[in-house]
Amino acid sequence: MIAIVIASHGDLAKGLLQSATMIFGKQANVATVTFREQETSDDLMTKYQTVLSKFESTDSVLFLVDLWGGSPFAVASQIVSRHSDQMALLSGVNLPILMDTFTIRDQPLDKVVAHLESSGRKGIRHFEPKPRHEGD
C-alpha cells in the first residue's frame, strides 16, 4: 500500500486530512507536513524525514503538495529525485484528489499517479444552472 505525505503552506494539509477522514474514515500510513512562515527549507526537510521514518522502508510514497514550485514542493522534489523508483510527487492537492488516492493506493505507484493526473483534470467543474422560464 502506498504511503501518503500531504504537505502545504499553513494548515491546509491537516484540514484536508481531517475532512477526508470524516468522509472516508481513518487511513494508515498517511502523514501531514505543514510549512510555517518562519520556517526554512531545512526545517521542512527535517519534517519530511521524520514522517518518512515512520513508514516501512519498502513502502512506495506519494507526496501530495499544495503548490507547484512552493517550498513544500521544492523540498519534496529533492527527496523524490533521490528515490524516484519508489516515490512520486503531485502538486495541486485537494479533497477529491486525496479521497481518490485513498481508493486506489493499493495499485502500483505509476498507475496511481497517472490516474490522479487524469481525475484531477476532470474534477474541476463549473455548475451552470438552467435558465429560468417565466412562470417557474
Side-chain angles (χ1 to χ4, degrees):
M1 181 177 296
I2 295 172
I4 302 166
V5 178
I6 310 159
S8 67
H9 294 81
D11 289 330
L12 176 65
K14 289 180 179 181
L16 286 171
L17 182 57
Q18 179 186 18
S19 296
T21 300
M22 285 178 60
I23 297 165
F24 207 85
K26 186 159 175 59
Q27 298 290 303
N29 289 340
V30 178
T32 61
V33 170
T34 57
F35 183 59
R36 304 280 178 208
E37 191 172 336
Q38 70 280 8
E39 292 178 327
T40 67
S41 294
D42 289 339
D43 296 324
L44 197 49
M45 181 63 81
T46 299
K47 288 180 177 186
Y48 279 139
Q49 290 170 338
T50 299
V51 298
L52 290 171
S53 71
K54 296 177 183 177
F55 299 145
E56 295 292 326
S57 62
T58 57
D59 286 341
S60 292
V61 178
L62 177 60
F63 288 84
L64 299 173
V65 302
D66 58 353
L67 184 64
W68 181 276
S71 295
F73 173 90
V75 176
S77 69
Q78 294 172 22
I79 297 167
V80 172
S81 293
R82 290 191 303 265
H83 305 281
S84 60
D85 58 323
Q86 78 180 78
M87 293 183 178
L89 169 61
L90 290 174
S91 67
V93 65
N94 58 38
L95 187 55
I97 287 293
L98 181 55
M99 291 185 347
D100 202 9
T101 304
F102 289 167
T103 66
I104 62 169
R105 63 192 291 212
D106 59 338
Q107 296 182 25
L109 187 59
D110 61 336
K111 291 188 185 291
V112 170
V113 169
H115 173 83
L116 294 175
E117 286 179 312
S118 175
S119 69
R121 286 184 189 98
K122 294 175 187 172
I124 297 173
R125 299 179 183 181
H126 173 213
F127 173 74
E128 294 187 49
K130 294 181 181 178
R132 293 186 62 182
H133 299 292
E134 282 192 41
D136 286 348

